[in-house]
Amino acid sequence: MRYFVRFLIQVMQVINEIAVLQSVLTTFRAQGKTIGLVPTMGALHAGHASLVRRSVQENDITVVSVFLNPTQFNDKKDLEHYPRTLDADCELLDQCGADLVFAPSVSEIYPEPDTRHFSYPPTDSVMEGAFRPGHFNGVCQIVSKLFSYVQPDRAYFGEKDFQQIAVIRRMVEDLGFDLTIVPCPVIRQEDGLAMSSRNALLSPEERTLAANIYRVMKESFSLQTSVQATHDYVVDSINAISGLKVQYYNIVDGKSLADVDSWEDSDDIVGCITVFCGATPIRLIDHIRYK
Ligand code: PAF
């Protein structure tokens, strides 16, 4: 019924230009409507759909950005291989009830190179920050631009990119954006594999292997041993599976992302992992909350 009513009043609009986006949003804001933003890089899946549905429930207008941001890719091959599926993305977004899709070109967003430098250690210097230098700088560049264009009341991010949320929270504080960050839970497939756009790049065999990542982390949850032994169990068990190689497994405080040595160090403890899967290989990230 809701979709029928919505269809009568408003059809999802796809916008490519910043000026058009801003003018449409100015009208909505003048009508007192609240705005939710879901930033994405496209190749959308059920995880993204859950963010969009949540935004549609909590805001009058939902804007979804679909922009494969080059400045956050330190590996150009990774950018080249990233799946691009705008037509299918728009279909899914329409079904989810999004109002506006913002799908700009690279030159629209970066007519000049973005020379701004963001630095929020330790959140952006450990784990992904250490292994993908410049990655979070690129994320902050694009997310700060999107926040400025859209001026959302709420912005929705998947907890799958656990570290990204911690970095964006620091940026929001630093730049004084007046909005609420809404973290949304990881959506998993039946065998536990976290939904990710990169899963589309896995062969069926690699896809089966990848399910071991969360299985092993979940097993480690019930071990009840020291932090170091839990860490070693996860790394050794995953590395023992041919086709999987752990890049890092850090057991950290869920806010500062600093390593913890003991379960008593914090009441918010998360294990964050990155694993290379298969021959290409595809880099997969995941996390588990211990406390
Ligand atoms: O999480 C992502 O997909 C991207 O890092 C984001 C937040 C859309 C910025 O490009």
PDB file of all heavy atoms in Angstrom, residues 189 191 193 198-212 242-244 277-280 282 284:
ATOM      1  N   GLN A 189      24.993 -13.629   5.046  1.00  0.00           N
ATOM      2  CA  GLN A 189      24.316 -14.683   4.306  1.00  0.00           C
ATOM      3  C   GLN A 189      24.095 -15.855   5.270  1.00  0.00           C
ATOM      4  O   GLN A 189      24.573 -15.817   6.410  1.00  0.00           O
ATOM      5  CB  GLN A 189      25.138 -15.050   3.082  1.00  0.00           C
ATOM      6  CG  GLN A 189      25.213 -13.809   2.187  1.00  0.00           C
ATOM      7  CD  GLN A 189      25.695 -14.065   0.790  1.00  0.00           C
ATOM      8  OE1 GLN A 189      26.829 -14.454   0.589  1.00  0.00           O
ATOM      9  NE2 GLN A 189      24.823 -13.838  -0.173  1.00  0.00           N
ATOM     10  N   ASP A 191      25.291 -18.723   5.671  1.00  0.00           N
ATOM     11  CA  ASP A 191      26.476 -19.371   6.251  1.00  0.00           C
ATOM     12  C   ASP A 191      27.351 -18.394   7.028  1.00  0.00           C
ATOM     13  O   ASP A 191      28.444 -18.737   7.452  1.00  0.00           O
ATOM     14  CB  ASP A 191      27.304 -20.050   5.142  1.00  0.00           C
ATOM     15  CG  ASP A 191      27.748 -19.053   4.072  1.00  0.00           C
ATOM     16  OD1 ASP A 191      27.534 -17.841   4.255  1.00  0.00           O
ATOM     17  OD2 ASP A 191      28.321 -19.491   3.060  1.00  0.00           O
ATOM     18  N   LEU A 193      28.695 -15.423   6.013  1.00  0.00           N
ATOM     19  CA  LEU A 193      29.541 -14.481   5.268  1.00  0.00           C
ATOM     20  C   LEU A 193      28.884 -13.094   5.241  1.00  0.00           C
ATOM     21  O   LEU A 193      27.703 -12.971   4.899  1.00  0.00           O
ATOM     22  CB  LEU A 193      29.765 -14.978   3.829  1.00  0.00           C
ATOM     23  CG  LEU A 193      30.602 -14.039   2.952  1.00  0.00           C
ATOM     24  CD1 LEU A 193      32.041 -13.930   3.465  1.00  0.00           C
ATOM     25  CD2 LEU A 193      30.612 -14.496   1.495  1.00  0.00           C
ATOM     26  N   ARG A 198      32.258  -6.830  -2.765  1.00  0.00           N
ATOM     27  CA  ARG A 198      33.394  -7.625  -3.257  1.00  0.00           C
ATOM     28  C   ARG A 198      33.055  -9.108  -3.374  1.00  0.00           C
ATOM     29  O   ARG A 198      33.764  -9.847  -4.064  1.00  0.00           O
ATOM     30  CB  ARG A 198      34.596  -7.472  -2.331  1.00  0.00           C
ATOM     31  CG  ARG A 198      35.237  -6.117  -2.464  1.00  0.00           C
ATOM     32  CD  ARG A 198      36.242  -5.907  -1.346  1.00  0.00           C
ATOM     33  NE  ARG A 198      36.507  -4.482  -1.193  1.00  0.00           N
ATOM     34  CZ  ARG A 198      37.471  -3.835  -1.812  1.00  0.00           C
ATOM     35  NH1 ARG A 198      38.293  -4.475  -2.575  1.00  0.00           N
ATOM     36  NH2 ARG A 198      37.630  -2.543  -1.629  1.00  0.00           N
ATOM     37  N   ASN A 199      31.997  -9.580  -2.685  1.00  0.00           N
ATOM     38  CA  ASN A 199      31.649 -11.006  -2.773  1.00  0.00           C
ATOM     39  C   ASN A 199      31.344 -11.398  -4.212  1.00  0.00           C
ATOM     40  O   ASN A 199      31.540 -12.546  -4.606  1.00  0.00           O
ATOM     41  CB  ASN A 199      30.446 -11.347  -1.890  1.00  0.00           C
ATOM     42  CG  ASN A 199      30.758 -11.167  -0.414  1.00  0.00           C
ATOM     43  OD1 ASN A 199      31.904 -10.900  -0.053  1.00  0.00           O
ATOM     44  ND2 ASN A 199      29.752 -11.296   0.424  1.00  0.00           N
ATOM     45  N   ALA A 200      30.875 -10.410  -5.000  1.00  0.00           N
ATOM     46  CA  ALA A 200      30.534 -10.686  -6.404  1.00  0.00           C
ATOM     47  C   ALA A 200      31.779 -11.088  -7.190  1.00  0.00           C
ATOM     48  O   ALA A 200      31.672 -11.668  -8.272  1.00  0.00           O
ATOM     49  CB  ALA A 200      29.898  -9.446  -7.028  1.00  0.00           C
ATOM     50  N   LEU A 201      32.965 -10.761  -6.680  1.00  0.00           N
ATOM     51  CA  LEU A 201      34.205 -11.081  -7.393  1.00  0.00           C
ATOM     52  C   LEU A 201      34.731 -12.469  -7.054  1.00  0.00           C
ATOM     53  O   LEU A 201      35.719 -12.927  -7.628  1.00  0.00           O
ATOM     54  CB  LEU A 201      35.284 -10.029  -7.052  1.00  0.00           C
ATOM     55  CG  LEU A 201      34.907  -8.561  -7.333  1.00  0.00           C
ATOM     56  CD1 LEU A 201      35.962  -7.625  -6.765  1.00  0.00           C
ATOM     57  CD2 LEU A 201      34.748  -8.338  -8.828  1.00  0.00           C
ATOM     58  N   LEU A 202      34.077 -13.161  -6.092  1.00  0.00           N
ATOM     59  CA  LEU A 202      34.552 -14.490  -5.665  1.00  0.00           C
ATOM     60  C   LEU A 202      33.989 -15.576  -6.573  1.00  0.00           C
ATOM     61  O   LEU A 202      32.819 -15.520  -6.961  1.00  0.00           O
ATOM     62  CB  LEU A 202      34.084 -14.770  -4.228  1.00  0.00           C
ATOM     63  CG  LEU A 202      34.581 -13.830  -3.118  1.00  0.00           C
ATOM     64  CD1 LEU A 202      33.815 -14.098  -1.820  1.00  0.00           C
ATOM     65  CD2 LEU A 202      36.082 -14.006  -2.891  1.00  0.00           C
ATOM     66  N   SER A 203      34.816 -16.595  -6.873  1.00  0.00           N
ATOM     67  CA  SER A 203      34.306 -17.769  -7.594  1.00  0.00           C
ATOM     68  C   SER A 203      33.443 -18.559  -6.607  1.00  0.00           C
ATOM     69  O   SER A 203      33.547 -18.346  -5.384  1.00  0.00           O
ATOM     70  CB  SER A 203      35.473 -18.631  -8.069  1.00  0.00           C
ATOM     71  OG  SER A 203      36.086 -19.229  -6.939  1.00  0.00           O
ATOM     72  N   PRO A 204      32.618 -19.517  -7.084  1.00  0.00           N
ATOM     73  CA  PRO A 204      31.793 -20.297  -6.146  1.00  0.00           C
ATOM     74  C   PRO A 204      32.647 -20.996  -5.076  1.00  0.00           C
ATOM     75  O   PRO A 204      32.263 -21.050  -3.908  1.00  0.00           O
ATOM     76  CB  PRO A 204      31.085 -21.311  -7.047  1.00  0.00           C
ATOM     77  CG  PRO A 204      31.065 -20.670  -8.402  1.00  0.00           C
ATOM     78  CD  PRO A 204      32.296 -19.820  -8.491  1.00  0.00           C
ATOM     79  N   GLU A 205      33.839 -21.496  -5.465  1.00  0.00           N
ATOM     80  CA  GLU A 205      34.708 -22.183  -4.482  1.00  0.00           C
ATOM     81  C   GLU A 205      35.216 -21.178  -3.440  1.00  0.00           C
ATOM     82  O   GLU A 205      35.256 -21.454  -2.245  1.00  0.00           O
ATOM     83  CB  GLU A 205      35.926 -22.842  -5.162  1.00  0.00           C
ATOM     84  CG  GLU A 205      35.596 -23.978  -6.112  1.00  0.00           C
ATOM     85  CD  GLU A 205      34.991 -23.499  -7.441  1.00  0.00           C
ATOM     86  OE1 GLU A 205      35.291 -22.359  -7.872  1.00  0.00           O
ATOM     87  OE2 GLU A 205      34.201 -24.260  -8.036  1.00  0.00           O
ATOM     88  N   GLU A 206      35.645 -19.995  -3.925  1.00  0.00           N
ATOM     89  CA  GLU A 206      36.161 -18.973  -2.999  1.00  0.00           C
ATOM     90  C   GLU A 206      35.053 -18.490  -2.064  1.00  0.00           C
ATOM     91  O   GLU A 206      35.281 -18.216  -0.888  1.00  0.00           O
ATOM     92  CB  GLU A 206      36.715 -17.787  -3.796  1.00  0.00           C
ATOM     93  CG  GLU A 206      37.991 -18.129  -4.545  1.00  0.00           C
ATOM     94  CD  GLU A 206      38.384 -17.080  -5.590  1.00  0.00           C
ATOM     95  OE1 GLU A 206      37.542 -16.222  -5.938  1.00  0.00           O
ATOM     96  OE2 GLU A 206      39.524 -17.147  -6.059  1.00  0.00           O
ATOM     97  N   ARG A 207      33.857 -18.409  -2.615  1.00  0.00           N
ATOM     98  CA  ARG A 207      32.685 -17.967  -1.836  1.00  0.00           C
ATOM     99  C   ARG A 207      32.467 -18.919  -0.657  1.00  0.00           C
ATOM    100  O   ARG A 207      32.181 -18.490   0.464  1.00  0.00           O
ATOM    101  CB  ARG A 207      31.491 -17.906  -2.810  1.00  0.00           C
ATOM    102  CG  ARG A 207      30.128 -17.802  -2.247  1.00  0.00           C
ATOM    103  CD  ARG A 207      29.917 -16.479  -1.564  1.00  0.00           C
ATOM    104  NE  ARG A 207      28.748 -16.551  -0.709  1.00  0.00           N
ATOM    105  CZ  ARG A 207      28.703 -17.189   0.442  1.00  0.00           C
ATOM    106  NH1 ARG A 207      29.758 -17.805   0.920  1.00  0.00           N
ATOM    107  NH2 ARG A 207      27.593 -17.188   1.144  1.00  0.00           N
ATOM    108  N   THR A 208      32.633 -20.247  -0.920  1.00  0.00           N
ATOM    109  CA  THR A 208      32.472 -21.249   0.140  1.00  0.00           C
ATOM    110  C   THR A 208      33.588 -21.105   1.177  1.00  0.00           C
ATOM    111  O   THR A 208      33.339 -21.151   2.381  1.00  0.00           O
ATOM    112  CB  THR A 208      32.504 -22.676  -0.471  1.00  0.00           C
ATOM    113  OG1 THR A 208      31.554 -22.699  -1.532  1.00  0.00           O
ATOM    114  CG2 THR A 208      32.184 -23.749   0.540  1.00  0.00           C
ATOM    115  N   LEU A 209      34.818 -20.897   0.687  1.00  0.00           N
ATOM    116  CA  LEU A 209      35.961 -20.717   1.609  1.00  0.00           C
ATOM    117  C   LEU A 209      35.752 -19.521   2.530  1.00  0.00           C
ATOM    118  O   LEU A 209      36.049 -19.572   3.723  1.00  0.00           O
ATOM    119  CB  LEU A 209      37.222 -20.412   0.799  1.00  0.00           C
ATOM    120  CG  LEU A 209      38.043 -21.530   0.211  1.00  0.00           C
ATOM    121  CD1 LEU A 209      39.279 -20.937  -0.476  1.00  0.00           C
ATOM    122  CD2 LEU A 209      38.465 -22.482   1.323  1.00  0.00           C
ATOM    123  N   ALA A 210      35.222 -18.437   1.932  1.00  0.00           N
ATOM    124  CA  ALA A 210      35.102 -17.165   2.656  1.00  0.00           C
ATOM    125  C   ALA A 210      34.198 -17.284   3.885  1.00  0.00           C
ATOM    126  O   ALA A 210      34.373 -16.559   4.871  1.00  0.00           O
ATOM    127  CB  ALA A 210      34.566 -16.080   1.717  1.00  0.00           C
ATOM    128  N   ALA A 211      33.265 -18.240   3.866  1.00  0.00           N
ATOM    129  CA  ALA A 211      32.350 -18.400   5.002  1.00  0.00           C
ATOM    130  C   ALA A 211      33.093 -18.828   6.267  1.00  0.00           C
ATOM    131  O   ALA A 211      32.598 -18.673   7.384  1.00  0.00           O
ATOM    132  CB  ALA A 211      31.268 -19.416   4.650  1.00  0.00           C
ATOM    133  N   ASN A 212      34.323 -19.383   6.080  1.00  0.00           N
ATOM    134  CA  ASN A 212      35.099 -19.808   7.254  1.00  0.00           C
ATOM    135  C   ASN A 212      35.531 -18.628   8.126  1.00  0.00           C
ATOM    136  O   ASN A 212      35.849 -18.809   9.301  1.00  0.00           O
ATOM    137  CB  ASN A 212      36.347 -20.567   6.801  1.00  0.00           C
ATOM    138  CG  ASN A 212      35.982 -21.953   6.310  1.00  0.00           C
ATOM    139  OD1 ASN A 212      35.497 -22.776   7.076  1.00  0.00           O
ATOM    140  ND2 ASN A 212      36.172 -22.193   5.012  1.00  0.00           N
ATOM    141  N   SER A 242      43.530 -23.685   3.160  1.00  0.00           N
ATOM    142  CA  SER A 242      44.185 -23.327   1.905  1.00  0.00           C
ATOM    143  C   SER A 242      43.283 -22.376   1.106  1.00  0.00           C
ATOM    144  O   SER A 242      42.088 -22.631   0.945  1.00  0.00           O
ATOM    145  CB  SER A 242      44.466 -24.627   1.148  1.00  0.00           C
ATOM    146  OG  SER A 242      44.751 -24.324  -0.171  1.00  0.00           O
ATOM    147  N   GLY A 243      43.874 -21.248   0.643  1.00  0.00           N
ATOM    148  CA  GLY A 243      43.090 -20.253  -0.097  1.00  0.00           C
ATOM    149  C   GLY A 243      42.719 -19.049   0.751  1.00  0.00           C
ATOM    150  O   GLY A 243      42.217 -18.057   0.225  1.00  0.00           O
ATOM    151  N   LEU A 244      42.967 -19.119   2.071  1.00  0.00           N
ATOM    152  CA  LEU A 244      42.707 -17.957   2.937  1.00  0.00           C
ATOM    153  C   LEU A 244      44.007 -17.522   3.602  1.00  0.00           C
ATOM    154  O   LEU A 244      44.803 -18.368   4.028  1.00  0.00           O
ATOM    155  CB  LEU A 244      41.681 -18.300   4.034  1.00  0.00           C
ATOM    156  CG  LEU A 244      40.265 -18.660   3.596  1.00  0.00           C
ATOM    157  CD1 LEU A 244      39.392 -18.921   4.825  1.00  0.00           C
ATOM    158  CD2 LEU A 244      39.639 -17.564   2.726  1.00  0.00           C
ATOM    159  N   CYS A 277      41.349 -13.814   0.061  1.00  0.00           N
ATOM    160  CA  CYS A 277      40.651 -15.047  -0.299  1.00  0.00           C
ATOM    161  C   CYS A 277      40.893 -15.377  -1.774  1.00  0.00           C
ATOM    162  O   CYS A 277      40.656 -14.528  -2.649  1.00  0.00           O
ATOM    163  CB  CYS A 277      39.155 -14.861  -0.035  1.00  0.00           C
ATOM    164  SG  CYS A 277      38.175 -16.308  -0.462  1.00  0.00           S
ATOM    165  N   GLY A 278      41.373 -16.587  -2.027  1.00  0.00           N
ATOM    166  CA  GLY A 278      41.494 -17.092  -3.401  1.00  0.00           C
ATOM    167  C   GLY A 278      42.747 -16.636  -4.111  1.00  0.00           C
ATOM    168  O   GLY A 278      43.648 -16.027  -3.524  1.00  0.00           O
ATOM    169  N   ALA A 279      42.777 -16.905  -5.415  1.00  0.00           N
ATOM    170  CA  ALA A 279      43.990 -16.709  -6.210  1.00  0.00           C
ATOM    171  C   ALA A 279      44.192 -15.245  -6.602  1.00  0.00           C
ATOM    172  O   ALA A 279      45.321 -14.765  -6.697  1.00  0.00           O
ATOM    173  CB  ALA A 279      43.929 -17.576  -7.451  1.00  0.00           C
ATOM    174  N   THR A 280      43.087 -14.493  -6.805  1.00  0.00           N
ATOM    175  CA  THR A 280      43.221 -13.116  -7.361  1.00  0.00           C
ATOM    176  C   THR A 280      44.131 -12.228  -6.522  1.00  0.00           C
ATOM    177  O   THR A 280      44.981 -11.559  -7.113  1.00  0.00           O
ATOM    178  CB  THR A 280      41.831 -12.471  -7.555  1.00  0.00           C
ATOM    179  OG1 THR A 280      40.995 -13.406  -8.222  1.00  0.00           O
ATOM    180  CG2 THR A 280      41.924 -11.181  -8.315  1.00  0.00           C
ATOM    181  N   ILE A 282      40.958 -11.762  -3.408  1.00  0.00           N
ATOM    182  CA  ILE A 282      39.966 -10.752  -3.025  1.00  0.00           C
ATOM    183  C   ILE A 282      40.144 -10.477  -1.527  1.00  0.00           C
ATOM    184  O   ILE A 282      40.268 -11.404  -0.730  1.00  0.00           O
ATOM    185  CB  ILE A 282      38.523 -11.258  -3.307  1.00  0.00           C
ATOM    186  CG1 ILE A 282      38.383 -11.707  -4.771  1.00  0.00           C
ATOM    187  CG2 ILE A 282      37.495 -10.186  -2.955  1.00  0.00           C
ATOM    188  CD1 ILE A 282      38.698 -10.652  -5.822  1.00  0.00           C
ATOM    189  N   LEU A 284      38.828  -9.394   1.951  1.00  0.00           N
ATOM    190  CA  LEU A 284      37.530  -9.354   2.641  1.00  0.00           C
ATOM    191  C   LEU A 284      37.719  -8.870   4.069  1.00  0.00           C
ATOM    192  O   LEU A 284      38.674  -9.283   4.743  1.00  0.00           O
ATOM    193  CB  LEU A 284      36.917 -10.758   2.673  1.00  0.00           C
ATOM    194  CG  LEU A 284      36.637 -11.394   1.300  1.00  0.00           C
ATOM    195  CD1 LEU A 284      36.207 -12.845   1.467  1.00  0.00           C
ATOM    196  CD2 LEU A 284      35.566 -10.595   0.537  1.00  0.00           C
TER     197      LEU A 284
END
